[in-house]
Amino acid sequence: MKKKVVVLAGDGIGPEIMASGVAVLKKAVENAEIQFEFEAHPFGGAGIDAKGAPLPEETLAACQSADAILLGAIGGPKWEHAAQTPEQGLLALRRALNLFANIRPIAVPDALLHLSPIKEEIVKGTDFIVVRELTSGIYFGEPRHLGAQEAYDTNRYHEEEIRRIMRQAFEIAQGRRKYILSVDKANVLATSKLWRKVAEEVAQEFPDCILEHQYVDSAAMRIIQNPTIFDVVVTENLFGDILSDEASVLPGTLGVLPSASHGEAGVSLYEPIHGSAPDIAGKNIANPVSMILSASLMLRQSFDMNQEADRIDRACFEAMEEGVLTKDLGGETSTTDFTAVILEKLS
Ligand code: NAD
Ligand code: IPM
Ligand code: MN
């Protein structure tokens, strides 16, 4: 069986960590029944440079006909003032593929406990999933306007958009501790009042699960104060973006957090939660774990290849446990040396 994986390396550290992710993936599936074909396409700033647009038509068409998509990261100062920015290209891709459910697992493996800036007794056992709505809310609402003296964005949700992301969250919770925390700002925002009402309705469909609500400001505090109580956190687009970056403080770096984005049917996309890290690009020091774990999520969630994914995850955690660490975690191992260690472990 053949499967096509579209590879969007993107900008900044994107190509560096993608090289690592693809090498590890190729090694891990060497003897598998499924044969993977990798097809690279320009996207983001690289799309602008190669084709004059962050999401070139050929890139979108390739994504639409792919079995899965791997994305490194996009953006950077070079394209900040482009007519169409890399970030707009990313939002357009998510929208075009209807990738409304962004799954961001936040785990602190024992290997990283001593590296966390938070006390070990607080972070030990942290294992939750942020389910972020990805194709609506203030990122997409109209009207929006940027004037010299006034600017505005519109936060808008339709109840169907809330219902489908809620159902995703409950389904994920059913395979875990069955505890859903819905995060909103229902004491102020109309969108959040609707969000909370629909959450309660969806909870009726899942009587085996427990639903609680929390305002986003206090949830932000609790993620650091008491991270082990969380199981599944479901929230709107903007809050999910912010809370998941905040949660990266628990393992000690953005560089180890992967994500998966799913639609109702069709192709899924796998990418780290972090950006293109222009401050460290081109230095061969980026942590590739976020990308490697995104590739392993792809094996699990798009191809049901749990054994191969387990081997990849184990290799990463083992390496880190042995002190093979990139600079973001206080180590000195380069991106390519870290990758070589993982490849060796997979041999
Ligand atoms: P960033 O996530 O790129 O970087 C934040 C900090 O984390 C930086 O100090 C960076 O060096 C560090 N970091 C991130 N990933 C790392 C890794 N794998 N290894 C080691 N250190 C890592 O956020 P930013 O600097 O605010 O944004 C840079 C650009 O990335 C912007 O153009 C932004 O729009 C874009 N961005 C893209 C995505 C995406 O492609 N999905 C996500 C977030 C930001
Ligand atoms: C992310 C990023 C993007 C977002 C930006 C680059 C548009 O921060 O993937 O988390 O806000 O969704
Ligand atoms: Mn983000």
Side-chain angles (χ1 to χ4, degrees):
M1 204 187 334
K2 279 208 164 150
K3 296 286 180 189
K4 179 171 99 173
V5 176
V6 161
V7 173
L8 310 174
D11 311 315
I13 62 168
E16 300 170 52
I17 59 173
M18 184 61 82
S20 169
V22 170
V24 170
L25 196 51
K26 282 184 175 162
K27 187 82 198 165
V29 301
E30 227 168 30
N31 302 316
E33 250 166 63
I34 298 181
Q35 287 189 326
F36 289 93
E37 257 171 48
F38 296 90
E39 198 182 292
H41 288 274
F43 180 55
I48 297 174
D49 290 353
K51 306 269 179 180
L55 176 56
E57 267 174 44
E58 302 86 337
T59 300
L60 177 58
C63 288
Q64 282 164 331
S65 69
D67 293 299
I69 304 161
L70 288 176
L71 166 62
I74 52 87
K78 181 177 173 194
W79 306 282
E80 233 168 62
H81 305 292
Q84 257 192 299
T85 62
E87 288 78 0
Q88 283 172 303
L90 178 58
L91 298 189
L93 180 66
R94 289 171 177 169
R95 202 63 192 277
L97 301 175
N98 192 26
L99 301 172
F100 69 89
N102 183 217
I103 313 300
R104 298 188 159 186
I106 312 290
V108 181
D110 283 346
L112 292 185
L113 273 182
H114 67 292
L115 299 170
S116 174
I118 313 292
K119 288 193 188 93
E120 193 164 327
E121 63 265 31
I122 291 176
V123 285
K124 190 174 169 58
T126 295
D127 175 14
F128 64 93
I129 296 191
V130 176
V131 178
R132 172 190 177 194
E133 200 291 326
L134 201 61
T135 52
S136 189
I138 202 163
Y139 277 61
F140 293 93
E142 296 287 346
R144 58 179 57 224
H145 170 70
L146 172 57
Q149 265 112 44
E150 193 192 23
Y152 48 80
D153 298 284
T154 300
N155 194 8
R156 170 173 283 137
Y157 269 105
H158 190 278
E159 59 109 4
E160 271 309 320
E161 293 169 331
I162 303 171
R163 205 173 295 282
R164 65 182 183 177
I165 193 69
M166 276 303 158
R167 285 191 176 131
Q168 278 265 345
F170 276 88
E171 279 164 21
I172 291 169
Q174 280 185 318
R176 298 174 49 95
R177 286 182 280 132
K178 301 187 170 56
Y179 167 51
I180 293 107
L181 184 70
S182 173
V183 172
D184 62 34
K185 187 73 186 175
N187 49 348
V188 178
L189 302 177
T191 40
S192 283
K193 293 186 206 295
L194 181 65
W195 183 275
R196 207 172 260 225
K197 176 173 135 308
V198 175
E200 285 295 336
E201 287 168 11
V202 173
Q204 304 297 311
E205 301 167 19
F206 298 87
D208 54 331
C209 294
I210 291 173
L211 169 70
E212 286 181 3
H213 307 274
Q214 192 165 31
Y215 300 134
V216 63
D217 43 0
S218 94
M221 178 275 297
R222 262 216 306 176
I223 281 180
I224 300 300
Q225 187 200 45
N226 197 359
T228 55
I229 58 166
F230 296 96
D231 181 20
V232 174
V233 176
V234 60
T235 191
E236 65 171 89
N237 206 337
L238 181 62
F239 298 161
D241 180 45
I242 297 169
L243 292 181
S244 54
D245 262 38
E246 184 203 359
S248 78
V249 173
L250 301 166
T253 176
L254 275 169
V256 295
L257 296 183
S259 87
S261 301
H262 305 297
E264 240 125 7
V267 67
S268 297
L269 180 149
Y270 301 85
E271 59 169 325
I273 81 161
H274 61 69
S276 59
D279 53 335
I280 59 163
K283 296 182 176 163
N284 193 25
I285 58 171
N287 192 338
V289 170
S290 56
M291 190 72 237
I292 297 173
L293 295 184
S294 297
S296 117
L297 265 184
M298 178 192 86
L299 290 181
R300 277 183 212 288
Q301 301 192 345
S302 282
F303 304 113
D304 239 342
M305 295 173 70
N306 289 307
Q307 274 181 353
E308 288 83 353
D310 284 345
R311 286 187 66 220
I312 293 177
D313 296 358
R314 233 181 296 123
C316 284
F317 298 138
E318 243 180 57
M320 292 189 284
E321 208 148 12
E322 288 159 11
V324 182
L325 297 167
T326 44
K327 199 162 176 224
D328 53 322
L329 285 170
E332 287 176 354
T333 309
S334 67
T335 311
T336 45
D337 285 349
F338 186 92
T339 309
V341 170
I342 303 303
L343 293 176
E344 179 63 35
K345 285 184 181 293
L346 293 175
S347 303

